[in-house]
């Protein structure tokens, strides 16, 4: 045995060190084995194909040894234990490779070659290719998983160009490529750029005049402008919106069944928390911890941080599927905060990144150990006031209606059970005749019977006492009759039961014998029983209602003794239809939810319709008994694998991992993500901030820093920014200043053919990227230049699509993730179902058409022309200059004066001339046909931040 073990270890050692293979072993693999894998296996089991069926990859030595869901694919030297050999031999019906639909069984010679290969110890020279994704040691060599070290800013030749260390890194690379940076942007361009960048609004003409006057005589004028804008409350609105994209923020849950209320009552409290956090420059590490585990922190009297938990709770609800909800939360945490696509490991080990399925379910256990509290926590102390008391009164009234309707549904259900007791008698009889392979659930569903009540009837009728009950004596007697000649025998039997000494209940016998025609089957007798039960139930309800109206005590019995005996059977303590109201409510929960949904929506609506409603957090709380999740093999909840301890990701952990022990583990998870030693968190954030400033991130996949993502050309800059960010106390505003005060940021956007040829994608930032306004900034500009903008911060969302149109910033628009308004989609608003770190810009006709024809845009155009600066000047030229001053904070060029003047002087025959405003610097003029409403002769002007317009209106 010792010799066999030693031989096996030796063979494994040979496999592990492909460099030690003999030429003969290498030739055998290359000529006999690799062709089999390449031609018959890689299609479904290789990194290149992107497929790993059953979790198995065959394109590397390590992958073969690791195997898939069922274990190692090969055991060198052991044919019996090598599952690969079992699969290709087709000896196991459940394990056959290649499968029949992929070419079927290998040739005998190919099988023999694989067998010989295993006997030889499975020599495999494939060490030069990509490492297996689960090779943690190899994965840790990936640049993004390396510790963040702060590099020294490199020396540069043109030191005079350097304003911040950002410039050292940029210029050093440009000098290597022999590229000269672009010229500095002019004063007007620079102020418009930074004002939009930090606030999402245009500068005012007064601000522009002052800046142009001071700059560049006083170079610190720009620095003061940056500080002023960072201190503006509008900064938090602008940059909070970027974060809401990452947080897949919406005001609704998505599609739900049962007409349930889709709106999140307090989603806006998370939005306001984010805006406040940016304005207060909350340290980013604290920002992360609060969003994942604010409820686990010592908050003191100020509970406002609980609103941060909306980061987890405001995702789509997937019809209540908890595994899908948890998957969404894992994604927004891992991809949203660390740029790692962990959810790809839900069904199998990640095909490319070092995230095994077990790590996914480690995080699954964290979120499966949390729940949303039945009553959402308050964000502050309740202030007693008439408005709050009015809210309480309306809420109590609305909840009473919900309770009343729910009770009515329960009473209706119980009455139905009593009235249809005959159906249950028949069901219990027929269920006893089912074959063993027939399911009672299916039988009950077919008969439209509640299976739990049916089981109660089965047990009840099996009791000896039931056979003696006069109401049921006829049933037991009739149930024993043969089906042939049933009518004659049943009539004779019922006649015998008519006598004064008969044991059968008189009300039942009279109903049977007085039927218009004799029953021909037991089923028809069950229907007659229903008439007896229904008549009794009706009589009892009438008696109860009469007593209630007459303010009399509830009756104790029906006056007719025979009918009272029927009632006593139905209402007996152990009677099958006599369920406790709570039990009945559980049985028909879905029905109750549907019937009371509208009333519950009225209760929920009080939270946003009543001014006295207190603010609450869309919070989470840990369950009383946190538990680890089991791995769901292939993502199938019915196929459970090993338990996955709640702990952090292996690839981001140093040494042996310690399982989470503080409740669900959310706080420990948050601290691991926000740790200065986490190589991803700071890198991902500063990369996104750079992208939000420049229009293109340093790493062009801002939500994927996995092993397929190459290091950016300016990696040292990325690492310097990340390290500096952490050193600054995770200050977002400090990060902004470092970037915005650089010469790199202050470059013009002018393209130069020589520089573009050397850096076509501008990855070295040899110029500033031309930028287009996002949807929010575009709409906000319309309001700002028209003078209609409402600057109030926070509060309930507004519907932006309905007149009278809201004048609040677009940030405060109501976002319905299921029915996102067309206006949002037209201007590239991100899908609120998923975390988005960047927006994509499209140019489609609908954008121009909406700006020309939208009632909201037309309203702002009219409001613009009513501004005193335009309406109260005398000459046409003065009006045009005033218009340009407000829209662009500059004077119009000569060709623009001519173009606009010609338009205004056009005779208004069949058309009414109107200026068409399409954003702060995106507008044109057109003639609106009075008859058709169509715009003719539209002359578009630039919709770019920095661009020049020719007389034709083309860029």
């Amino acid at each position: 045995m010792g010799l066999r073990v030693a031989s096996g270890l030796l063979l494994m050692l040979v496999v592990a060190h492909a460099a030690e293979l003999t030429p003969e072993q290498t030739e055998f693999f290359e000529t006999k084995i690799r062709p089999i894998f390449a031609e018959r296996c890689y299609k479904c089991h290789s990194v290149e194909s992107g497929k790993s069926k059953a979790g198995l990859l065959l394109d590397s030595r390590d992958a073969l040894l690791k195997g898939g869901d069922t274990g190692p694919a090969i055991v060198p030297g052991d044919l019996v234990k090598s599952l690969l050999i079992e699969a290709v031999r087709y000896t196991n019906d459940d394990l056959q490779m290649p499968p029949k639909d992929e070419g079927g069984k290998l040739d005998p010679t190919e099988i023999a070659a694989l067998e010989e290969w295993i006997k030889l110890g499975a020599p495999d020279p494939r060490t030069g290719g990509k490492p297996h994704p689960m090779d943690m040691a190899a994965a840790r060599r990936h640049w993004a998983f390396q510790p963040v070290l702060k590099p020294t800013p490199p020396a540069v030749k043109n030191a005079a160009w350097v304003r911040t260390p950002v410039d050292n890194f940029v210029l050093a690379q440009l000098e290597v490529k022999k590229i000269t940076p672009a010229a500095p942007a002019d004063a007007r361009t620079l102020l418009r750029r930074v004002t939009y960048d930090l606030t999402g609004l245009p500068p005012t003409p007064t601000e522009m005049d002052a800046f142009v006057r001071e700059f560049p005589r006083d170079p610190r004028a720009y620095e003061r402008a940056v500080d002023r804008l960072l201190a503006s409350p509008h900064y938090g609105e602008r940059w909070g919106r970027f974060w809401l994209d990452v947080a897949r923020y919406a005001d609704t849950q998505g599609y739900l069944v049962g007409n349930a209320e889709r709106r999140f009552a307090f989603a806006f409290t998370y939005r306001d928390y984010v805006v406040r956090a940016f304005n207060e420059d909350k340290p980013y590490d604290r920002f992360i911890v609060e969003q994942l585990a604010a409820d686990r922190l010592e908050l003191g009297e100020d509970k406002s941080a609980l609103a941060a938990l909306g980061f987890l709770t405001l995702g789509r609800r997937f019809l209540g599927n908890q595994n899908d909800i948890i998957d969404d939360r894992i994604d927004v945490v891992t991809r949203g905060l660390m740029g790692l696509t962990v959810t790809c490991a839900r069904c199998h080990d990640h095909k490319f990144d070092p995230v095994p399925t077990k790590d996914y379910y480690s995080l699954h256990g964290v979120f499966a150990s949390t729940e949303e509290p039945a009553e959402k926590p308050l964000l502050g102390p309740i202030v007693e006031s008439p408005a709050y008391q009015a809210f309480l009164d309306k809420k109590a009234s609305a909840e009473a209606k919900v309770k009343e309707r729910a009770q009515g549904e329960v009473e209706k259900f119980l009455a139905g059970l009593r009235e249809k007791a005959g159906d249950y008698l028949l069901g219990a009889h027929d269920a006893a005749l089912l074959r063993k392979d027939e399911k009672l659930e299916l039988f009950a569903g077919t008969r439209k019977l509640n299976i739990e009540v049916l089981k109660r009837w089965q047990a009840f009728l099996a009791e000896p006492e039931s056979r003696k009950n006069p109401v049921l004596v006829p049933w037991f007697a009739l149930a024993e009759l043969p089906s042939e000649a049933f009518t004659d025998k049943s009539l004779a039997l019922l006649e015998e039961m008519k006598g004064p000494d008969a044991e059968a209940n008189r009300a039942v016998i009279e109903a049977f014998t007085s039927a218009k025609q004799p029953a021909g089957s037991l089923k028809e007798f069950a229907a007659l029983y229903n008439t007896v039960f229904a008549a009794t139930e009706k009589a009892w309800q009438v008696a109860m209602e009469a007593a209630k109206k007459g303010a009399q005590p509830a009756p104790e019995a029906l006056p007719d003794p025979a009918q009272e005996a029927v009632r006593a059977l139905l209402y007996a303590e152990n009677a099958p239809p006599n369920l406790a109201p709570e039990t009945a409510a559980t049985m028909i929960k879905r029905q109750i939810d549907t019937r009371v949904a509208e009333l519950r929506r009225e209760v929920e609506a009080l939270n946003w319709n009543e001014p006295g409603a207190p603010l609450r957090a869309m919070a989470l709380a840990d369950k009383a008994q946190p538990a680890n999740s089991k791995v769901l093999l292939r993502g199938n909840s019915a196929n459970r694998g090993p338990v996955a301890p709640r702990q952090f990701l292996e690839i981001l952990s140093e040494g042996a991992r310690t399982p989470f022990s503080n409740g669900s583990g959310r706080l420990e998870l948050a601290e691991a993500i926000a740790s200065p030693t986490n190589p991803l968190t700071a890198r991902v954030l500063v990369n996104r901030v750079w992208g939000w400033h420049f229009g293109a991130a340093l790493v062009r996949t801002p939500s994927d820093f996995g092993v397929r993502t190459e290091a950016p050309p300016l990696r040292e800059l990325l690492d310097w920014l990340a390290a500096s960010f952490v050193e600054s106390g995770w200050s977002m505003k400090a990060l902004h200043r470092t970037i915005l005060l650089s010469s790199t940021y202050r470059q013009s956007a002018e393209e130069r053919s020589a520089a573009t040829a050397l850096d076509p994608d501008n990855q070295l930032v040899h110029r500033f990227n031309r930028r287009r306004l996002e949807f929010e900034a575009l709409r906000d500009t319309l309001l700002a230049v028209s003078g209609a903008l409402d600057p109030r911060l926070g509060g309930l969302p507004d519907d932006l699509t309905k007149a009278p149109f809201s004048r609040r910033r677009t940030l405060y628009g109501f976002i319905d993730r299921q029915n996102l308004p067309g206006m949002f989609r037209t201007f590239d608003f991100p899908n609120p179902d998923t975390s988005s770190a960047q927006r994509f810009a499209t140019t489609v006709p609908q954008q121009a058409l909406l700006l020309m024809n939208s009632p909201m845009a037309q309203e702002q155009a009219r409001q613009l022309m009513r501004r005193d600066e335009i309406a109260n000047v005398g000459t046409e030229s003065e009006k045009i200059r005033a218009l340009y001053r407000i829209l662009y904070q500059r004077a119009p060029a000569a060709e623009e004066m001519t173009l606009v003047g010609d338009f205004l002087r056009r005779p208004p025959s069949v058309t009414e001339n109107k200026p068409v405003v399409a954003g702060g610097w995106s507008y044109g003029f057109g003639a609106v046909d009075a008859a058709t409403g169509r715009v003719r002769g539209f002359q578009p002007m630039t919709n770019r931040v920095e661009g020049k317009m020719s007389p034709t209106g083309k860029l």
Side-chain angles (χ1 to χ4, degrees):
M1 178 64 72
L3 181 61
R4 287 188 62 189
V5 171
S7 300
L9 290 174
L10 179 60
L11 289 170
M12 291 293 288
L13 185 62
V14 171
V15 173
H17 299 281
E20 300 175 13
L21 295 180
T22 65
E24 292 78 11
Q25 289 172 321
T26 301
E27 183 181 2
F28 182 90
F29 178 87
E30 295 295 349
T31 58
K32 302 289 186 181
I33 306 304
R34 190 190 290 270
I36 298 173
F37 287 156
E39 295 172 13
R40 303 300 305 276
C41 306
Y42 285 176
K43 181 179 179 182
C44 300
H45 301 279
S46 69
V47 172
E48 187 72 21
S49 70
K51 296 181 180 179
S52 58
K53 291 186 176 180
L56 176 64
L57 292 171
L58 298 177
D59 53 350
S60 73
R61 178 197 69 238
D62 293 339
L64 273 167
L65 294 172
K66 179 180 181 296
D69 295 343
T70 54
I74 61 171
V75 177
D78 195 329
L79 292 178
V80 175
K81 293 182 179 178
S82 295
L83 294 176
L84 176 67
I85 299 303
E86 181 182 350
V88 299
R89 285 174 173 174
Y90 270 46
T91 55
N92 183 341
D93 292 341
D94 296 325
L95 183 62
Q96 296 180 346
M97 289 178 25
K100 293 177 181 178
D101 58 355
E102 294 291 347
K105 189 176 181 180
L106 298 176
D107 291 337
T109 55
E110 294 174 319
I111 296 174
L114 290 171
E115 291 171 345
E116 182 65 19
W117 180 58
I118 297 294
K119 291 177 185 177
L120 291 172
D124 190 343
R126 294 176 298 170
T127 58
K130 297 179 182 177
H132 190 278
M134 297 306 116
D135 186 341
M136 296 294 168
R140 287 193 175 96
R141 293 194 289 272
H142 175 55
W143 70 270
F145 299 148
Q146 295 285 311
V148 176
L149 301 177
K150 189 175 183 180
T152 301
V156 294
K157 297 175 183 177
N158 184 12
W161 192 75
V162 174
R163 285 191 170 96
T164 76
V166 167
D167 299 326
N168 292 80
F169 293 99
V170 172
L171 186 58
Q173 291 296 318
L174 291 177
E175 289 180 344
V176 168
K177 291 281 190 177
K178 295 182 170 40
I179 301 175
T180 303
D186 62 80
R188 176 189 159 275
T189 296
L190 189 58
L191 186 65
R192 279 176 62 86
R193 176 190 296 172
V194 75
T195 304
Y196 267 114
D197 212 349
L198 289 180
T199 68
L201 294 169
T204 66
T206 302
E207 290 168 345
M208 181 61 75
D209 291 345
F211 184 75
V212 171
R213 192 167 51 249
E214 296 174 7
F215 185 87
R217 279 181 321 180
D218 181 2
R220 294 203 59 198
Y222 174 67
E223 186 175 343
R224 289 195 297 272
V226 169
D227 290 340
R228 171 178 59 81
L229 294 168
L230 285 172
S232 167
H234 297 310
Y235 158 76
E237 293 176 314
R238 167 69 164 175
W239 281 80
R241 180 60 257 182
F242 286 135
W243 185 259
L244 294 180
D245 287 1
V246 173
R248 73 331 181 201
Y249 175 85
D251 292 293
T252 66
Q253 304 178 49
Y255 178 71
L256 296 175
V257 296
N259 198 30
E261 175 55 57
R262 296 186 299 110
R263 178 168 176 168
F264 288 120
F266 300 102
F268 67 94
T269 62
Y270 173 70
R271 177 245 291 149
D272 292 350
Y273 161 84
V274 170
V275 172
R276 188 167 60 252
F278 275 91
N279 277 334
E280 295 173 354
D281 199 19
K282 186 185 290 288
Y284 183 65
D285 56 344
R286 176 71 178 192
F287 185 57
I288 289 174
V289 171
E290 288 180 352
Q291 289 181 99
L292 301 189
D295 60 308
R296 306 293 296 176
L297 300 175
E298 295 293 336
L299 298 177
E301 294 184 3
D302 183 4
K303 306 297 184 184
S304 60
L306 290 176
L309 293 167
F311 180 74
L312 295 174
T313 58
L314 293 179
R316 184 179 161 203
R317 290 311 172 93
F318 305 95
L319 297 176
N321 185 308
Q322 286 303 305
N323 284 328
D324 287 344
I325 293 172
I326 290 172
D327 184 75
D328 169 70
R329 290 173 179 172
I330 292 174
D331 183 63
V332 78
V333 169
T334 57
R335 195 162 58 89
L337 301 179
M338 297 185 293
L340 203 56
T341 55
V342 170
T343 53
C344 293
R346 179 179 180 177
C347 303
H348 49 71
D349 288 349
H350 202 301
K351 290 185 174 69
F352 307 108
D353 289 333
V355 184
T357 305
K358 200 165 185 177
D359 271 9
Y360 173 89
Y361 286 96
S362 291
L363 301 185
H364 184 283
V366 171
F367 295 108
S369 296
T370 64
E371 59 188 355
E372 295 180 58
E375 184 175 41
K376 296 174 178 62
L378 291 165
L379 292 176
I382 290 177
V383 178
E384 295 293 341
S385 66
Y388 175 63
Q389 189 57 51
F391 164 75
L392 291 181
D393 293 343
K394 291 182 180 180
K395 184 177 181 182
S397 175
E399 288 177 340
K401 291 179 181 178
V402 172
K403 185 177 180 181
E404 182 181 354
R405 182 168 295 183
Q407 289 176 340
E409 290 299 319
V410 169
E411 292 169 1
K412 181 180 177 181
F413 171 66
L414 293 175
L417 293 181
R418 292 188 285 266
E419 293 172 357
K420 299 296 183 181
D423 292 344
Y424 283 92
L425 290 174
L426 181 65
H429 173 271
D430 292 350
L433 306 177
L434 291 175
R435 300 190 309 270
K436 290 184 178 181
D437 61 339
E438 294 183 279
K439 295 184 179 297
L440 184 63
E441 291 84 353
L442 181 60
F443 170 83
T446 303
R447 296 290 185 94
K448 297 183 179 180
L449 303 175
N450 183 287
I451 188 170
E452 296 302 324
V453 177
L454 176 60
K455 290 177 180 178
R456 286 171 61 90
W457 271 107
Q458 287 177 307
F460 180 78
L461 295 174
E463 293 291 332
E465 291 299 319
S466 297
R467 288 185 169 271
K468 301 176 184 179
N469 189 298
V471 177
L472 298 178
V473 165
W475 175 261
F476 283 109
L478 294 167
E480 294 176 358
L481 296 177
S483 57
E484 62 274 7
F486 183 90
T487 302
D488 294 339
K489 291 183 178 296
S490 62
L491 288 174
L493 187 60
L494 292 172
E495 286 296 326
E496 293 177 7
M497 294 183 181
K498 278 187 176 181
D501 299 327
E503 297 178 356
N505 180 278
R506 172 176 52 79
V508 174
I509 296 301
E510 288 179 355
F512 289 175
T513 56
S514 62
K516 293 182 179 179
Q517 59 183 29
S521 66
L522 191 62
K523 180 179 180 180
E524 294 178 10
F525 271 108
L528 290 172
Y529 258 105
N530 280 342
T531 63
V532 176
F533 293 136
T536 303
E537 176 67 15
K538 182 178 180 181
W540 180 246
Q541 294 300 333
V542 168
M544 295 283 286
E545 191 64 27
K548 187 185 298 183
K549 288 182 178 179
Q552 300 294 322
E556 296 182 358
L558 288 171
D560 181 352
Q563 197 171 41
E564 168 57 23
V566 175
R567 189 204 67 81
L569 168 67
L570 297 174
Y571 282 86
E573 184 177 350
N574 65 335
N578 191 20
L579 303 171
E582 298 80 11
T583 303
T586 302
M587 288 182 175
I588 60 169
K589 182 179 183 304
R590 180 175 295 181
Q591 176 182 325
I592 291 176
D593 288 345
T594 301
R595 299 294 170 82
V596 304
E598 186 175 349
L599 293 177
R600 282 181 177 156
R601 291 174 68 176
E602 291 178 7
V603 176
E604 281 289 299
L606 293 173
N607 290 310
W608 55 82
N609 289 334
E610 286 298 311
L615 297 182
R616 297 180 181 271
M618 301 296 297
L620 281 176
D622 284 357
K623 291 181 178 178
Q625 298 295 329
N628 296 324
S629 292
K630 288 186 176 181
V631 174
L632 304 183
L633 301 177
R634 312 304 296 165
N636 185 348
S637 59
N639 190 11
R640 297 178 180 271
V643 171
R646 303 193 311 282
Q647 57 191 0
F648 197 42
L649 303 174
E650 181 180 357
I651 188 60
L652 300 178
S653 302
E654 297 181 4
R657 289 179 288 175
T658 302
F660 298 151
S661 57
N662 183 352
S664 67
R666 278 183 294 120
L667 180 57
E668 292 155 291
L669 173 62
E671 290 170 342
I673 293 173
S675 169
T677 63
N678 188 319
L680 290 176
T681 306
R683 277 190 179 114
V684 167
L685 190 279
V686 299
N687 181 64
R688 288 175 179 168
V689 170
W690 183 277
W692 289 327
H693 277 307
F694 285 87
L698 296 170
V699 178
R700 296 300 169 95
T701 55
S703 287
D704 185 1
F705 274 50
V707 296
R708 291 182 298 168
T709 300
E710 295 181 359
L714 294 172
R715 177 191 167 183
E716 285 195 334
L717 170 59
L718 179 68
D719 283 1
W720 186 89
L721 287 170
S724 300
F725 179 52
V726 175
E727 287 177 358
S728 72
W730 303 80
S731 168
M732 290 289 292
K733 290 188 177 182
L735 176 61
H736 288 305
R737 292 186 92 260
T738 300
I739 294 173
L740 298 178
L741 297 181
S742 68
S743 294
T744 303
Y745 181 83
R746 301 191 203 187
Q747 294 179 95
S748 75
E750 183 178 355
E751 294 191 29
R752 296 160 296 146
S753 57
T756 300
L758 294 171
D759 183 22
D761 295 326
N762 199 27
Q763 287 189 295
L764 300 181
V765 204
H766 67 267
R767 61 175 174 81
F768 195 83
N769 292 308
R770 293 187 185 275
R771 300 290 307 279
R772 283 177 51 176
L773 291 183
E774 299 88 357
F775 167 58
E776 293 88 344
L778 174 61
R779 181 183 174 277
D780 293 348
T781 295
L782 292 178
L783 293 167
V785 299
S786 71
L789 181 68
D790 181 347
R792 287 179 299 127
L793 271 68
L796 290 163
D798 288 352
D799 187 339
L800 304 184
T801 64
K802 295 180 180 178
F805 297 105
S806 171
R807 297 187 301 153
R808 304 199 67 203
R809 293 199 68 171
T810 311
L811 169 75
Y812 302 114
F814 185 80
I815 300 174
D816 186 341
R817 63 167 21 105
Q818 183 184 346
N819 299 304
L820 194 65
M823 177 174 63
F824 286 70
R825 294 193 300 270
T826 297
F827 289 98
D828 307 310
F829 190 85
N831 179 2
D833 281 343
T834 186
S835 176
S836 302
Q838 62 183 343
R839 294 193 183 183
F840 299 97
T842 63
T843 303
V844 294
Q846 290 88 336
Q847 294 165 350
L849 292 171
L850 189 145
L851 288 171
M852 288 189 290
N853 300 305
S854 157
M856 183 270 178
Q858 292 176 356
E859 179 181 297
Q860 300 316 310
R862 288 189 290 269
Q863 180 66 27
L864 169 65
M865 301 309 292
R866 286 195 290 265
R867 287 188 60 160
D868 289 344
E869 301 96 315
I870 298 174
N872 294 337
V873 295
T875 67
E876 176 187 283
S877 296
E878 289 175 327
K879 288 183 183 291
I880 296 173
R881 290 190 181 92
L883 181 66
Y884 271 75
R885 174 176 162 78
I886 292 170
L887 292 176
Y888 298 122
Q889 302 85 54
R890 65 173 173 84
E895 63 268 27
E896 291 170 331
M897 285 290 293
T898 301
L899 175 67
V900 179
D902 289 345
F903 172 81
L904 293 176
R905 288 187 292 273
R906 185 179 303 165
S909 53
V910 296
T911 61
E912 177 187 1
N913 294 329
K914 291 184 178 180
V916 180
V917 178
W921 54 79
S922 172
Y923 79 104
F925 292 91
V928 182
D929 191 302
T932 65
R934 294 180 178 176
V935 177
R936 297 178 178 175
F938 175 64
Q939 295 291 333
M941 293 186 183
T942 176
N943 65 347
R944 298 175 184 263
V945 173
E946 301 150 22
K948 297 179 180 179
M949 189 197 73
S950 71
T952 62
K954 296 180 179 179
L955 288 177

